[in-house]
Amino acid sequence: MHSHPEAADTLIYGAMLYDGTGKPPVVRDVAVRGDKIAAIGNLSNWIAEEIVEADGRALAPGFIDVHTHDDTHVIREPQMLPKLSQGVTTVIVGNCGISASPVALRGEPPDPMNLLGEREAFRYPTFGAYVQAVNAARPAVNVAALVGHTALRSNHMDRLDRAATPEEIDAMRAQLEDALAQGALGLSSGLAYASAFSAPTEEVMALAEPLAQAGALYTTHMRSEFDAILEAFDEACRIGRHARVPVVISHLKCAGPSNWGRSVEVLASLERARASQRVGCDCYPYDRSSTTLDLKQVTGDIEITVTWSTPHPEASGKRLSAIAGEWGVTQQEAAKRLQPAGAVYHNMSEDDVRRILAHPATMVGSDGLPNDPLPHPRLWGTFPRVLGHYARDAALMPLEEAVRKMTGLSARRFGLERRGEIHVGYHADLVLFDPARVRDVATFDNPRQAADGIEAVWVNGVLSYRDRAPAGDRAGRFVPRGAIASGDAAARSGETF
Ligand code: ZN
Ligand code: CU
């Protein structure tokens, strides 16, 4: 017994604690002091400003959205409700080869950089300028950032439908090295997109070389998620081996009906590769994808819904086949007339989605598109959907494993130090949720809806969301790269990546 009670800012009593490592939950009290977790255990002799009775509800590390396109959104809409309302406390931006920084545009942003905003949204010629802007905006969630290969290409190349010259690669490398020195997590690529497809493997290899020394990583929206997926996966692994860096395959999926069912062989390849190098993946829990309207994906064999179109805003929410019918043209022709535009593609099989999501090497990432007027529901629904629909209702995995995929695994892979697990001395990013009620509410027709069952969210010790509404201050900050897969967290779990 302490003779003097210990004092905390916040005490959470009687929580079912999911610590982010994948261990089964235990009932504990948790004390928060300042921005850190001060104590865990039976804390009945403690006192605090704020007392929360968890009554057996789940307390987990704040969720980490490892795959976002929130680059400019965290500054424009710092309340970040689409993410905060899911229990997300950290977003990783700069995915798929597109990042808001370092970028100096010469004209309109090239596809798919336009997913991040219009021309005036790109105001960060250096990574340092972006870091400053994030901290000045003080978003409600923490922000960590990758540098996009396509963004670097657009800075230094007059056209993107060719390979970069050695001089251009040098200039891109210098910019990447500067960003790494200022805390960037690594390099992302989007080799499937026309703006990067002409980049040979060697271009990315050369660019990835400075990553190892910085302790950074390589993430990729692979060159193909369709029939050539295994070749594309092999290319990603070769880049990782060449640069001696960890690889994250973004939004792993088997796209296109001719590819359905191939998650078995794709995951077998992943497991083989993991025996000799650090490689993992993320995915979102839906069987439909979303990005800009891509003529290559207009094949007539899947349902495509237009979400936005600059020349035809009235097309939002309509099927591409219906628009083509109205106009009396082919779907290809309609898709051309709608450009620039965005779409949702019904291009995955549910079995593949489940198999990939359940794999132990898979993290959860939303790939949400916050600038889309009719966003894919993954923007508001990803994390509660994994917890409620897939872990609880479909029994695809235990809840502690679902939590690990959105917290501990993610923090370790990306080098987010002292986040993603609940231990004394870690940052107090926490989410209290009701495991019996948690569920995604956002739908394709009505996508801007907060989840049910997310009861309270703390970011850096500050209560930031409660009772379906923002609470108090915004307390997020820019999070620079820490050490990847090292330190006590990795040692405890025995995993390296
Ligand atoms: Zn992507
Ligand atoms: Cu993406």
Side-chain angles (χ1 to χ4, degrees), residues 97-156:
I98 60 176
S99 55
S101 82
V103 171
L105 290 179
R106 283 166 243 222
E108 293 303 313
D111 178 291
M113 282 175 70
N114 53 0
L115 289 174
L116 301 182
E118 317 234 322
R119 187 174 181 169
E120 60 280 4
F122 293 88
R123 337 178 142 162
Y124 317 106
T126 64
F127 192 82
Y130 179 71
V131 172
Q132 265 184 9
V134 168
N135 283 329
R138 202 172 163 83
V141 298
N142 300 307
V143 180
L146 297 155
V147 171
H149 168 232
T150 300
L152 295 174
R153 295 188 110 225
S154 86
N155 291 341
H156 297 286

Side-chain angles (χ1 to χ4, degrees), residues 79 81 84 464-466 468-472:
Q79 195 55 66
L81 263 186
L84 194 60
S464 301
Y465 182 82
R466 190 170 210 178
R468 301 181 67 90

Side-chain angles (χ1 to χ4, degrees), residues 60-266:
F63 306 140
I64 297 168
D65 191 347
V66 294
H67 192 108
T68 86
H69 295 290
D70 290 331
D71 302 54
T72 60
H73 207 67
V74 293
I75 295 164
R76 227 183 0 251
E77 300 280 346
Q79 195 55 66
M80 289 297 292
L81 263 186
K83 298 298 166 69
L84 194 60
S85 62
Q86 298 182 57
V88 169
T89 56
T90 300
V91 297
I92 295 178
V93 305
N95 281 284
C96 296
I98 60 176
S99 55
S101 82
V103 171
L105 290 179
R106 283 166 243 222
E108 293 303 313
D111 178 291
M113 282 175 70
N114 53 0
L115 289 174
L116 301 182
E118 317 234 322
R119 187 174 181 169
E120 60 280 4
F122 293 88
R123 337 178 142 162
Y124 317 106
T126 64
F127 192 82
Y130 179 71
V131 172
Q132 265 184 9
V134 168
N135 283 329
R138 202 172 163 83
V141 298
N142 300 307
V143 180
L146 297 155
V147 171
H149 168 232
T150 300
L152 295 174
R153 295 188 110 225
S154 86
N155 291 341
H156 297 286
M157 297 173 68
D158 56 343
R159 48 189 301 173
L160 301 178
D161 59 351
R162 61 170 177 84
T165 64
E167 294 71 33
E168 287 163 344
I169 291 176
D170 283 348
M172 291 195 261
R173 255 176 88 141
Q175 264 196 317
L176 175 61
E177 283 169 355
D178 175 68
L180 291 170
Q182 310 208 45
L185 298 177
L187 174 72
S188 79
S189 72
L191 299 176
Y193 291 103
S195 49
F197 191 76
S198 300
T201 309
E202 292 68 29
E203 175 182 321
V204 187
M205 282 179 171
L207 209 45
E209 282 165 5
L211 297 172
Q213 216 199 339
L217 86 176
Y218 172 63
T219 75
T220 181
H221 174 158
M222 296 191 291
R223 204 178 284 277
S224 176
E225 296 173 329
F226 292 80
D227 293 347
I229 186 170
L230 288 180
E231 292 80 353
F233 175 71
D234 188 56
E235 177 185 37
C237 290
R238 276 189 292 137
I239 292 166
R241 286 199 303 273
H242 171 83
R244 292 170 291 114
V245 294
V247 177
V248 170
I249 308 297
S250 296
H251 45 59
L252 182 60
K253 68 173 77 70
C254 296
S258 64
N259 230 1
W260 289 351
R262 292 187 68 206
S263 57
V264 176
E265 33 173 333
V266 170

